[in-house]
Amino acid sequence: MGLLQHLGSLPKAATKRKLIAFRTVTGHPDFLVTFVDRFHNLCGPIQDVELKPSRKDVWQPNGQRFAARGLWYAMGFSRSKHDSTETEFIVEPATENEAPTSSSVRISEEAERICKILSNQPNLNNTSCLDEAGVTVCPTLVAEVVKKLGNAGMLALVFFRWAEKQQGFNHTSEIFHHLIEALGKIKQFRLIWSLVDFMKHRNLLKKETFALITRRYARARKISEAIETFVKMQRFGLKPELSDYNCLIDIISKSKHVDRAQDIFNEMKRRKRFTPDLKTYTILLEGWGHVRDLSSLKAVYREMIDEGFKPDVVTYGILVNAFCKSGRCDDAVKIFHEMEANNCKPSPHIYCSLINGLGSAKRLDEALKYFELSKASGFPPEIPTYNALVGSYCWVMKFEDAFRVVDEMKSCGVGPNARTYDIVLHHLIKARKTEEAYEIFQRMGSDIGCEPQLNTYTMMVSMFCSVERIDMALKVWNQMNAKGILPCMHMFSALINGLCFENRLDDACRYFQEMLDKGIRPPGQLYSKLKETLLDGGRRDLAVEFGLKLDQLRKTPLRG
């Protein structure tokens, strides 16, 4: 465990104390610690650990300060040594207000358990398994479970309806927001609006509620409905402000309908509802950059300058990223030098964009140059910057150097994380290095904070299906199920297509049915492939049956 304070000695009277440390806890997001100097490992055993998220400014003996974001630990421990000398570190009695708790850890673990129970049930509407498992609810737990079931909207709804009837349940905005997100993914908008009416009567509506619905409409390519949702917000007594217009423009832009976002912006200016601020312009710049329309990006930038706004570090970051992603790294470098000339200090994000852009262009030496500049810039090292360097080595097939960077990350206490390994896996799979990729995948679980995520499992299943190793694809699938991670549409598609290719019709039909049961809408191409395979196998009745079920899922709204 990396020590973050090396100051005082342990008071003799205390049996439980508090120290600041970096550690990843199962079921939690990564707790990032940034520091000025490197620390050795604490080797002594620690018992009775209890956890509480926290952030604190910490001073080293030499007077340097750094920010630690991590966990408070209340613990009993034994004497520790490293480098054969006694380790001294600061410990403070926990105050009443800082009393440690492990409730967040328990909530996360219980949510994972519930997801495993539900995902392994053959009958979607059978919730007696939760009663038999002795599940007790609280609002925080319900919110966490519904969030984890975000890729299975029908399952999320079934759990929510069960939870409503349990002692200890209370309706909260957070629960409804996670449910809206899950139902939006399967386009159950009629049910979502019934939830909005219910929330209104409970005084739970927020602007965030309408932003979520707007985003789900936009991602479903229903742009008119997305804009109408924003208009409806006023009817529910929530008056929009400039920040809300910025949010709307951002959502529409990120759905790759930047032209409509530009129309909203122009109309907002014409009617003088609000005066755009710098953030409004940066949102549009990012949108045009995202669709790689550099001429429109330049037009917005010129308008921004004409309106008297000066580009800040965020604006420059968007410009650098846009040019890098458009393959125009030389222009991105010119912007980098321009911001330096204007006394605007580049941020870690800008260095990261340049390293990513130059790396993907296979300009490794230049990517390494900007990595060294980022280290010399005075900012503490960050995981995304290291990940960009890992990717740069992978682009030129220097995997040994990529893993040397991973080792450096470990020694510095900056990651790695699951994304680090996903980058390496992506390039190994692309290079058709199947065995090497699987070996890396197996190693991920042994590194703290690097457990495979849904994206990792999706890559591995797709890889094995593409090389006709369905046995291994199913093995990875089962490992994922055992951890309570729900498959997404892309993962189902890869597996079912692979099973069809190997003419394993019974298995393909079973997973297609599971997909429908979870409320995940199969893409049209997937059903067409399955239908063709069934017809070729003389199973016309089953092809027709699946067609009817799919049509029902598309057209019949769920009932609240």
Side-chain angles (χ1 to χ4, degrees):
M1 183 183 296
L3 292 178
L4 298 184
Q5 287 179 294
H6 265 242
L7 300 178
S9 58
L10 174 67
K12 295 180 180 178
T15 57
K16 284 199 174 184
R17 287 292 183 262
K18 176 178 70 176
L19 67 89
I20 302 172
F22 171 78
R23 188 173 183 178
T24 301
V25 181
T26 302
H28 274 267
D30 295 339
F31 290 93
L32 176 65
V33 174
T34 57
F35 51 85
V36 174
D37 205 349
R38 192 175 301 180
F39 290 88
H40 297 285
N41 289 329
L42 172 66
C43 303
I46 297 176
Q47 305 90 26
D48 304 329
V49 177
E50 291 187 304
L51 316 163
K52 183 179 181 181
S54 186
R55 181 189 186 285
K56 191 178 181 99
D57 287 328
V58 183
W59 281 263
Q60 293 188 98
N62 61 9
Q64 289 181 295
R65 187 179 73 170
F66 60 93
R69 287 172 51 225
L71 297 175
W72 289 116
Y73 286 72
M75 56 184 70
F77 54 93
S78 63
R79 188 166 129 177
S80 309
K81 292 179 179 290
H82 66 72
D83 293 343
S84 302
T85 58
E86 184 170 348
T87 301
E88 292 188 344
F89 48 93
I90 191 166
V91 278
E92 308 168 44
T95 66
E96 184 177 348
N97 292 333
E98 294 176 338
T101 174
S102 59
S103 61
S104 58
V105 178
R106 290 197 302 269
I107 288 288
S108 182
E109 290 175 349
E110 179 66 357
E112 287 182 12
R113 183 177 80 95
I114 292 169
C115 287
K116 287 179 187 178
I117 293 169
L118 289 170
S119 61
N120 290 321
Q121 288 302 307
N123 183 356
L124 179 70
N125 293 307
N126 181 18
T127 55
S128 60
C129 57
L130 297 174
D131 299 314
E132 293 166 3
V135 173
T136 56
V137 305
C138 67
T140 308
L141 175 62
V142 174
E144 184 69 13
V145 173
V146 175
K147 180 181 177 182
K148 286 180 180 291
L149 295 174
N151 285 326
M154 291 176 72
L155 208 53
L157 180 65
V158 167
F159 172 75
F160 172 76
R161 291 309 183 205
W162 172 84
E164 278 188 309
K165 303 169 187 173
Q166 308 306 308
Q167 185 176 0
F169 177 85
N170 283 313
H171 293 98
T172 67
S173 297
E174 183 185 10
I175 293 171
F176 278 111
H177 289 167
H178 290 315
L179 186 58
I180 286 169
E181 187 75 13
L183 293 172
K185 288 180 181 180
I186 57 173
K187 303 176 184 177
Q188 291 291 338
F189 293 108
R190 189 178 300 179
L191 177 54
I192 285 172
W193 284 111
S194 72
L195 294 178
V196 169
D197 288 333
F198 185 89
M199 293 175 72
K200 179 184 178 183
H201 293 303
R202 295 279 181 137
N203 200 29
L204 294 173
L205 283 178
K206 298 181 178 180
K207 289 181 177 179
E208 182 187 352
T209 314
F210 293 91
L212 284 169
I213 300 170
T214 301
R215 186 175 293 110
R216 289 323 318 176
Y217 271 128
R219 291 185 180 178
R221 300 180 183 178
K222 295 177 179 288
I223 303 303
S224 296
E225 290 87 342
I227 296 169
E228 179 62 27
T229 298
F230 179 80
V231 174
K232 279 185 180 179
M233 182 171 71
Q234 297 182 65
R235 300 177 196 166
F236 285 88
L238 298 169
K239 187 178 179 180
E241 301 171 349
L242 176 59
S243 60
D244 302 308
Y245 276 97
N246 284 345
C247 180
L248 175 64
I249 293 169
D250 187 45
I251 289 170
I252 304 302
S253 291
K254 286 178 177 173
S255 69
K256 298 186 179 180
H257 289 83
V258 195
D259 52 343
R260 295 291 295 274
Q262 184 75 56
D263 290 342
I264 295 167
F265 170 84
N266 294 339
E267 183 71 6
M268 182 181 75
K269 281 188 69 178
R270 188 181 69 81
R271 293 195 176 187
K272 298 182 180 180
R273 290 176 174 170
F274 290 100
T275 302
D277 60 6
L278 180 60
K279 185 173 182 179
T280 319
Y281 283 104
T282 56
I283 288 168
L284 278 175
L285 289 171
E286 186 175 27
W288 288 122
H290 188 59
V291 296
R292 303 182 185 184
D293 186 338
L294 297 183
S295 61
S296 295
L297 178 143
K298 290 176 182 178
V300 171
Y301 183 73
R302 284 193 297 269
E303 181 181 333
M304 183 190 84
I305 298 298
D306 291 343
E307 291 291 332
F309 293 104
K310 290 184 178 180
D312 61 4
V313 67
V314 175
T315 313
Y316 280 121
I318 288 168
L319 295 174
V320 167
N321 192 50
F323 280 99
C324 282
K325 288 193 172 180
S326 297
R328 295 176 56 174
C329 293
D330 290 335
D331 289 320
V333 170
K334 288 178 183 176
I335 294 167
F336 176 84
H337 291 311
E338 178 189 320
M339 70 179 297
E340 285 190 315
N342 291 333
N343 294 318
C344 184
K345 185 177 181 180
S347 65
H349 169 72
I350 290 173
Y351 286 110
C352 187
S353 294
L354 283 168
I355 297 164
N356 269 320
L358 292 164
S360 62
K362 300 184 180 180
R363 294 162 64 172
L364 179 61
D365 289 343
E366 292 168 89
L368 291 172
K369 169 190 167 183
Y370 282 97
F371 178 74
E372 292 303 322
L373 284 173
S374 75
K375 287 168 64 174
S377 67
F379 291 106
E382 293 187 353
I383 294 177
T385 312
Y386 271 108
N387 284 351
L389 183 61
V390 169
S392 297
Y393 278 118
C394 289
W395 275 109
V396 292
M397 306 292 285
K398 292 190 174 184
F399 292 106
E400 288 186 9
D401 289 312
F403 279 106
R404 179 181 54 76
V405 175
V406 173
D407 290 337
E408 182 181 329
M409 294 172 76
K410 292 177 183 178
S411 67
C412 292
V414 185
N417 59 9
R419 173 65 183 155
T420 314
Y421 284 99
D422 282 354
I423 291 167
V424 178
L425 285 173
H426 168 78
H427 286 278
L428 287 172
I429 292 167
K430 189 177 176 182
R432 303 190 71 80
K433 294 180 179 289
T434 305
E435 298 304 323
E436 292 92 331
Y438 185 59
E439 183 182 340
I440 298 302
F441 169 74
Q442 289 179 299
R443 279 169 46 187
M444 286 180 70
S446 61
D447 279 353
I448 295 174
C450 297
E451 292 80 7
Q453 304 298 308
L454 177 61
N455 184 59
T456 319
Y457 287 110
T458 303
M459 282 197 294
M460 296 307 296
V461 168
S462 299
M463 178 190 77
F464 281 124
C465 289
S466 68
V467 296
E468 301 176 34
R469 293 289 308 277
I470 296 297
D471 55 331
M472 291 301 297
L474 290 170
K475 181 178 179 180
V476 172
W477 184 284
N478 291 333
Q479 287 176 5
M480 180 194 69
N481 270 347
K483 292 191 175 183
I485 298 174
L486 292 166
C488 63
M489 180 268 288
H490 299 291
M491 199 171 181
F492 270 113
S493 297
L495 183 61
I496 293 166
N497 276 321
L499 290 166
C500 286
F501 186 81
E502 292 205 354
N503 206 33
R504 293 174 58 169
L505 292 183
D506 288 338
D507 289 329
C509 290
R510 179 163 60 86
Y511 284 104
F512 191 80
Q513 182 63 59
E514 182 182 335
M515 192 178 188
L516 297 178
D517 288 342
K518 286 183 165 60
I520 299 173
R521 296 189 179 203
Q525 282 186 324
L526 178 63
Y527 171 66
S528 296
K529 175 66 176 175
L530 180 61
K531 180 182 176 181
E532 180 185 339
T533 308
L534 289 171
L535 291 174
D536 289 345
R539 304 177 71 171
R540 178 180 174 81
D541 291 347
L542 194 53
V544 172
E545 181 184 339
F546 276 132
L548 292 171
K549 287 181 177 180
L550 183 56
D551 194 52
Q552 183 180 22
L553 178 63
R554 286 173 176 161
K555 294 181 178 178
T556 307
L558 297 174
R559 296 295 175 188

